[in-house]
Amino acid sequence: MPGIVVFGRRWGIASDDLVFPGCFELFVRVLWWIGTMILFTYHKGQFDCNGRGFLHSYLVGLLVVLALIILSLCAIVYVSAQGTITNPGPRRSVPALVYLRALLYVPELVWACLGAVWVTDDSEGCDPAMVGAVITAVVASWIILLFTGLGVVFVFDPLGGPRVPPAAMEPLGVRDLQSNEGTQFLSTARSLAVKVWESRLRLLCCCLPQDESHRAAFSSIAQLVSGFFSDTDLVPSDIAAGLALLHQEQDKMEQSRDPDVVVDHSPSSPIGEDLETELEKAAHCMRFAAAAYGWPLYIYSNLFSGPCKLSGDCCRSREAEYEIVGGDHLGCQFSSILHSTGLQYRDFIYVSFHNQIYEIPFYVALDHKREAVLVAVRGTLSLRDVLTDLSAECENLPIEGVSGACYAHKGMCQAASYIYKKLVNDGILNQAFTIAPEYKLVVTGHSLGAGTASLLAILLRNSFPTLQCYSFSPPGGLLSKALADYSKDFVVSVVLGKDLVPRLSIPNMEDLKRKILKIVSNCNKPKYRILLQGCWYELFGGDPEDFPTEMDNRREEELSQPLLGEESLMIRHSSSYQSLASDNSPARTAAHLPLFLPGRILHITEDGPSRRFVYTCKRMRYRAEWSNEMAFRSVLISPRMLADHMPDAVLQALKSLTSDRGGRIQDPGGIR
C-alpha cells in the first residue's frame, strides 16, 4: 500500500498503520480522562485555592480537550481498520482525520504550558493531591508530545514526494514504454535513494574511519539496498504482513507434503561414505569455529562459569606468550579460545584479532587429535563484519582447472584473499607444516567465517590436494555453479533447520519480494488482523490460518491476468515481478547472477514438531541428511530462522546427533 500523503508529502506508513498506535494512545487518553473526571468530581467546589478559580477552568478545559482527542482517535482507529492493503478506498478520509488530530495538539500544548505555569507560580495553598494530579497531567502531555515528535521522525521518508509517480498509475504494459521524462524521473529517484542510503550508512558507521575502502563499501551496499524495493510501493508493515501470511502458507504446504525420505549418502559423494563419520568430524570442527568468536560467545554460552574463568587471564601481562597473538590487547580473546578448544598455548601457530572491512580475525592451530593443521575463521561479530557481509556483488575468482564461470561473493572473496596472503606470503602454513609435516590441512568457520573459509579452501586446494573444509551455516549467495560443483570434493556445509543465512542471496530475496507482493495483494483481510493473527501464530503456533483471498470470486478465465492489487504495488516494471501465470515460466530471467552454497550439504532438522518461542524442557532430537543446493533456493519464514543460525545452536545439534549415534565428543570445559 502506498505511504499516506499528508502535509504535502508521502510518509513511511500507510493509512491502515494507525490502528495499533491509535489504540494505544486511545487507551492512555481514556484512563487519563477518567482520572481527571474522578478528581474533578471528588474536589468539586474546592478549586479556588489560589483565589482565582484557575484550577477549575484548567480541569474543565483539560476534560474537553481529552474528549475531543478521544473522539478523533476513535474515528482514526475505526477508519484505519477498514479495507485491505490493496483496497484503500474505505480509508480515504484518514488524511483529513490526521489533520484534525494534528490540530488538537495545539490546545493540548497550550494547556500543558498553562498547567506548568500554574504549578510553578500559583499552586501554593492548594490540596497536594490536586497539585500532584496537575503535575502528572502536564508531564504526561509533554511525554506524549515528545513521543509524537519521535514518531514523526521515525516514519519520515526522505524519498517521499507529494504524490505517487505517474508510472505507478499505468498498466504494466504501458509502463514498459516509458517516456524520456518518466525514465529520467526514475533515474533521478534511484540516484536520490542511493545517496540517502549512503548517508544512512555513514551515520550508522560514524565510528569507523571514513577512508576510501569504507566509502566504496558504503556506495556498493547503498546501491544494493536502495534497489531492492525500489520498484514497489510497500511500507514496512506491508512487508511484515506479507511475511506473516507467507509463513502460514509455507507451513500449510509443508504439512500437506509427504514426509521426506532420509538420504544416507550424497549423490555426489564417494560410494560408502559414512554419514556418522562426517557428523563426528563436523562436531569436532564446530568447536574450533565457535571458539573463533572469542570471549563474547564464550561468556554467552557459560554465563555463570565463563566470567570467573576469564577474569584471571584478562589484563594479565603475558608478553612472552602473546608474541603470536595480534589485536588482543587485554588477552580475553585468546584465553577464551584456549578454554573453548582445550588446546595449549604451544599448539597455536598464529592468532589474529585484527578486524577491518574485508579483513576478519582467524587463527591457525595444531589439532593433534585429528592430526590436522586447522585454520578457523571468525564469523560476524562487528560492524565491519556486517559491511563485509553486505558487499554482496559478484567478483571474478578464476581457479585453475575449473571450467565455466567462476565468481563469488565480493566481500567474502576479499576476506579470503586477505587470509590467503597472510597464510602463504607470511609463511604461516610453512611454519605449521615444518612442525607437523604429516598433518593435513583443515579449514573451518561459521557464517561469514564459513563463506570465507570455503573460498579460502578453494584458493588453497591446488597447493594442498588433501585439504578439507567444514563450513557451518554459510551464506547462500556465495559461489557460482562451477565453483560450487568444484568444491563438492573437499567442502562440507552444515545447515541447521530453517536457518535464514544459507538461504540468503540476491535472487532468493527477489523471489521473496515477488511472493510478498502476490500474497499481500491476494489477501482480503485488513492488515491489523493479519498482524495480530500472525503474531499469535509465531508465538504459540496452531493451525495455519486459511486466509481468504481476492481470487475467491474471480472468474476462471481471469486467473491468468495479473491482479490489479498486485500491479498497484509496482512503481515500475521489474524483472522480479511475475504475473500469476508465470511462476514457473521457463522464460523467467534472473536480474542477478545466481550464487550457491559451497560443497556437499549436510542438513540437520529437528525430529518432531518445530519449536516456537515458548520452549519446553524436553530435550530436542535431530536428524541429519544429505541435501543439495536447490533445496535452499527460497527463504523459509520461521520463528527459528535466526536462532538456528547461532553457533551454539549448531554445536548443540551436532553434539546431540553424535551422542545419539553412540559417538563421543570430548568437551574440555568449553562452549556448552
Side-chain angles (χ1 to χ4, degrees):
M1 174 61 204
I4 187 173
V5 179
V6 290
F7 302 109
R9 68 172 299 112
R10 298 175 64 231
W11 297 79
I13 58 171
S15 58
D16 53 357
D17 284 334
L18 304 177
V19 176
F20 296 120
C23 286
F24 177 76
E25 186 181 356
L26 184 61
F27 174 75
V28 173
R29 297 288 186 177
V30 169
L31 290 181
W32 189 352
W33 189 90
I34 292 174
T36 304
M37 178 58 73
I38 292 174
L39 179 68
F40 182 82
T41 304
Y42 183 77
H43 293 280
K44 191 173 183 180
Q46 305 175 18
F47 298 119
D48 57 349
C49 54
N50 58 3
R52 292 183 294 170
F54 174 84
L55 187 56
H56 179 274
S57 301
Y58 175 82
L59 291 177
V60 171
L62 182 61
L63 287 171
V64 173
V65 171
L66 287 176
L68 293 175
I69 291 175
I70 289 172
L71 291 175
S72 67
L73 288 173
C74 289
I76 288 175
V77 170
Y78 176 78
V79 177
S80 182
Q82 305 304 306
T84 63
I85 294 177
T86 53
N87 179 26
R91 302 189 299 272
R92 64 175 63 92
S93 59
V94 166
L97 293 173
V98 170
Y99 289 134
L100 175 62
R101 177 65 189 90
L103 285 176
L104 291 175
Y105 280 112
V106 176
E108 183 177 16
L109 177 62
V110 172
W111 244 245
C113 294
L114 290 176
V117 171
W118 179 82
V119 168
T120 304
D121 299 332
D122 300 328
S123 60
E124 294 183 5
C126 295
D127 186 353
M130 286 190 294
V131 175
V134 174
I135 293 175
T136 302
V138 171
V139 172
S141 295
W142 285 111
I143 290 176
I144 289 178
L145 290 170
L146 174 63
F147 276 96
T148 301
L150 292 177
V152 169
V153 173
F154 183 75
V155 301
F156 178 78
D157 183 5
L159 303 176
R163 57 191 177 90
V164 180
M169 309 303 293
E170 303 169 356
L172 282 177
V174 176
R175 273 179 252 158
D176 290 335
L177 304 175
Q178 294 174 349
S179 64
N180 291 334
E181 182 180 354
T183 303
Q184 183 178 1
F185 176 85
L186 291 172
S187 176
T188 303
R190 286 192 292 269
S191 299
L192 179 60
V194 171
K195 291 180 180 178
V196 167
W197 277 103
E198 279 192 56
S199 300
R200 288 172 174 172
L201 288 170
R202 288 196 182 97
L203 181 62
L204 181 65
C205 307
C206 59
C207 57
L208 300 182
Q210 303 294 313
D211 54 22
E212 188 62 33
S213 62
H214 285 83
R215 284 194 293 269
F218 292 157
S219 178
S220 174
I221 296 169
Q223 291 181 13
L224 174 67
V225 176
S226 64
F228 185 61
F229 276 104
S230 64
D231 55 352
T232 67
D233 204 357
L234 296 175
V235 297
S237 60
D238 296 334
I239 300 173
L243 292 174
L245 292 170
L246 186 58
H247 180 204
Q248 296 181 61
E249 182 182 79
Q250 289 176 345
D251 281 359
K252 283 194 294 185
M253 294 177 62
E254 186 176 349
Q255 291 173 9
S256 63
R257 189 182 302 127
D258 293 334
D260 295 330
V261 179
V262 177
V263 181
D264 289 332
H265 304 285
S266 168
S268 61
S269 63
I271 297 176
E273 182 180 25
D274 190 359
L275 179 61
E276 181 178 337
T277 301
E278 286 294 341
L279 284 171
E280 290 182 354
K281 291 180 180 178
H284 179 77
C285 287
M286 183 59 206
R287 281 178 34 228
F288 295 93
Y293 282 96
W295 69 264
L297 182 62
Y298 183 79
I299 296 295
Y300 172 77
S301 303
N302 302 271
L303 290 176
F304 299 106
S305 61
C308 297
K309 290 181 178 180
L310 292 183
S311 60
D313 297 326
C314 295
C315 303
R316 190 171 66 185
S317 177
R318 298 166 62 175
E319 295 180 4
E321 292 187 5
Y322 283 89
E323 292 178 356
I324 65 168
V325 180
D328 186 17
H329 303 294
L330 298 179
C332 298
Q333 300 281 18
F334 186 48
S335 295
S336 67
I337 292 179
L338 290 173
H339 286 293
S340 299
T341 60
L343 299 179
Q344 303 298 317
Y345 167 79
R346 62 178 178 270
D347 297 326
F348 287 86
I349 306 299
Y350 183 82
V351 182
S352 172
F353 296 101
H354 170 75
N355 192 199
Q356 292 293 336
I357 185 171
Y358 306 143
E359 299 175 4
I360 57 181
F362 70 99
Y363 67 86
V364 181
L366 299 179
D367 178 13
H368 300 295
K369 181 178 180 181
R370 296 284 179 176
E371 296 187 343
V373 174
L374 191 138
V375 181
V377 187
R378 196 189 76 180
T380 303
L381 198 62
S382 71
L383 193 55
R384 296 175 177 89
D385 297 333
V386 173
L387 295 178
T388 302
D389 284 317
L390 293 177
S391 298
E393 296 177 350
C394 292
E395 181 169 298
N396 289 329
L397 185 66
I399 299 296
E400 183 180 353
V402 180
S403 59
C406 295
Y407 51 88
H409 183 288
K410 176 184 175 180
M412 297 177 196
C413 194
Q414 296 274 354
S417 297
Y418 159 75
I419 298 177
Y420 176 85
K421 292 175 182 176
K422 299 286 288 185
L423 294 176
V424 176
N425 296 349
D426 293 358
I428 297 174
L429 288 183
N430 285 338
Q431 180 184 351
F433 283 106
T434 299
I435 299 173
E438 71 281 6
Y439 282 15
K440 61 185 177 182
L441 181 61
V442 176
V443 185
T444 189
H446 173 267
S447 189
L448 167 63
T452 303
S454 300
L455 289 165
L456 178 62
I458 291 174
L459 294 174
L460 292 169
R461 170 67 170 174
N462 288 331
S463 301
F464 299 90
T466 61
L467 172 149
Q468 286 185 306
C469 176
Y470 287 88
S471 173
F472 301 97
S473 309
L478 185 65
L479 300 174
S480 65
K481 181 63 175 174
L483 287 178
D485 291 340
Y486 171 69
S487 66
K488 290 182 186 295
D489 293 333
F490 54 93
V491 177
V492 173
S493 291
V494 179
V495 178
L496 175 62
K498 296 183 178 181
D499 185 355
L500 171 66
V501 174
R503 295 174 170 85
L504 273 184
S505 66
I506 297 178
N508 284 11
M509 294 304 293
E510 290 285 356
D511 177 70
L512 176 65
K513 176 176 69 175
R514 181 184 61 86
K515 290 178 179 177
I516 289 175
L517 286 170
K518 181 168 294 185
I519 202 165
V520 162
S521 62
N522 284 345
C523 184
N524 62 13
K525 281 191 175 182
K527 189 192 297 182
Y528 79 94
R529 289 186 59 188
I530 297 173
L531 294 175
L532 282 176
Q533 293 167 350
C535 287
W536 180 270
Y537 184 76
E538 296 297 331
L539 290 172
F540 305 106
D543 294 328
E545 180 75 14
D546 188 16
F547 287 99
T549 70
E550 300 284 1
M551 295 173 56
D552 291 343
N553 299 322
R554 300 181 73 206
R555 296 192 303 273
E556 185 69 26
E557 62 270 17
E558 291 178 328
L559 293 180
S560 62
Q561 301 298 323
L563 290 174
L564 177 61
E566 191 177 357
E567 285 193 6
S568 69
L569 298 176
M570 303 299 299
I571 293 178
R572 59 183 173 84
H573 182 68
S574 168
S575 59
S576 66
Y577 173 82
Q578 303 291 331
S579 68
L580 292 175
S582 60
D583 280 341
N584 301 313
S585 172
R588 180 182 173 189
T589 58
H592 301 275
L593 295 173
L595 293 170
F596 301 87
L597 286 169
R600 292 173 288 126
I601 304 170
L602 244 177
H603 192 200
I604 300 173
T605 55
E606 292 181 359
D607 194 6
S610 180
R611 289 176 290 171
R612 299 278 167 174
F613 289 113
V614 180
Y615 293 98
T616 63
C617 297
K618 183 179 178 181
R619 179 173 176 246
M620 290 305 303
R621 297 181 63 86
Y622 298 90
R623 64 188 179 100
E625 58 185 325
W626 290 110
S627 186
N628 60 73
E629 62 271 13
M630 299 311 295
F632 300 88
R633 300 304 291 166
S634 62
V635 176
L636 299 182
I637 311 301
S638 167
R640 299 283 305 171
M641 62 195 300
L642 295 179
D644 283 345
H645 184 68
M646 296 298 292
D648 58 320
V650 178
L651 179 59
Q652 185 60 43
L654 285 167
K655 290 174 62 177
S656 175
L657 278 168
T658 51
S659 62
D660 288 346
R661 286 172 164 78
R664 291 184 178 179
I665 300 289
Q666 298 281 337
D667 189 351
I671 297 176
R672 300 291 179 183

